[in-house]
Amino acid sequence: MHIDLDPPNGITGFPFGMPAEEVKAAAAALGRVRVIDEGPPRGWAFMKVDTVLAQFAITFHLEDGKTLTSVEIWRPFAGPEEISVTWRGIDVFRTPAAEVLARIEAAGYRIEDREYFHPQVRDLTLGFSRNSRDDIPLDGDEDDEDAMPMYFSAVLAAPAKYYD
């Protein structure tokens, strides 16, 4: 399986603005689906379509309760299927996080919170997570309390002005 991140337009098969019923049907074709907080948003709660596949998960956010507004993809676990999630040919989960960020900067984008666990590329509308997981080695000495995971654990793609 290959998923291409194409902000601000969407990801492979899921354009931003896609109607809720289409998101649910397309997500169900990928894996097991659970719809959370279906319908109009209530306070901080908004509709999500959690999709669990054999080796990873995708959460489709429908913050207005009607259309796809962002997508969060979790790092695939090792398994029988070859899974890649790329932005402009860069595999965001198999390439070390520091290299992914360097290549994004080389493409002319500014990264906020680069040295923290959740860097954001506002102009590109990508957000990353470097949460610890047993299958992700640390980037640096294991005894260093500031060492972060070498690879990203999740990526969020969104339409233009999402972070505004």
Side-chain angles (χ1 to χ4, degrees):
M1 174 184 282
H2 175 78
I3 298 171
D4 189 43
L5 304 171
D6 184 26
N9 303 309
I11 68 166
T12 302
F14 294 87
F16 295 125
M18 183 180 204
E21 292 307 313
E22 291 179 29
V23 171
K24 290 188 272 186
L30 296 175
R32 191 176 74 242
V33 169
R34 181 176 69 143
V35 179
I36 301 166
D37 293 319
E38 189 160 10
R42 292 171 301 284
W44 289 99
F46 59 86
M47 185 172 167
K48 295 178 189 84
V49 178
D50 275 341
T51 308
V52 178
L53 294 85
Q55 291 170 236
F56 71 115
I58 303 173
T59 302
F60 299 95
H61 299 252
L62 296 93
E63 295 171 40
D64 62 1
K66 299 174 187 174
T67 61
L68 182 62
T69 54
S70 65
V71 178
E72 192 167 14
I73 303 170
W74 300 91
R75 184 178 200 271
F77 287 97
E81 186 173 359
E82 183 70 24
I83 300 165
S84 63
V85 178
T86 61
W87 174 78
R88 296 187 185 174
I90 305 165
D91 190 319
V92 299
F93 294 124
R94 289 194 184 115
T95 305
E99 184 179 334
V100 171
L101 296 177
R103 290 177 69 182
I104 289 171
E105 282 180 326
Y109 295 98
R110 188 172 67 84
I111 298 168
E112 294 183 19
D113 298 325
R114 180 186 172 90
E115 303 303 320
Y116 296 98
F117 289 94
H118 303 285
Q120 296 177 353
V121 189
R122 287 180 177 268
D123 293 338
L124 188 56
T125 58
L126 283 178
F128 297 94
S129 291
R130 286 178 89 170
N131 295 329
S132 294
R133 271 184 28 181
D134 291 341
D135 64 326
I136 304 176
L138 292 178
D139 190 6
D141 185 355
E142 290 183 17
D143 295 328
D144 180 1
E145 63 186 42
D146 293 327
M148 290 193 290
M150 183 177 287
Y151 301 97
F152 289 118
S153 56
V155 62
L156 178 119
K161 301 184 189 266
Y162 182 80
Y163 288 115
D164 291 349

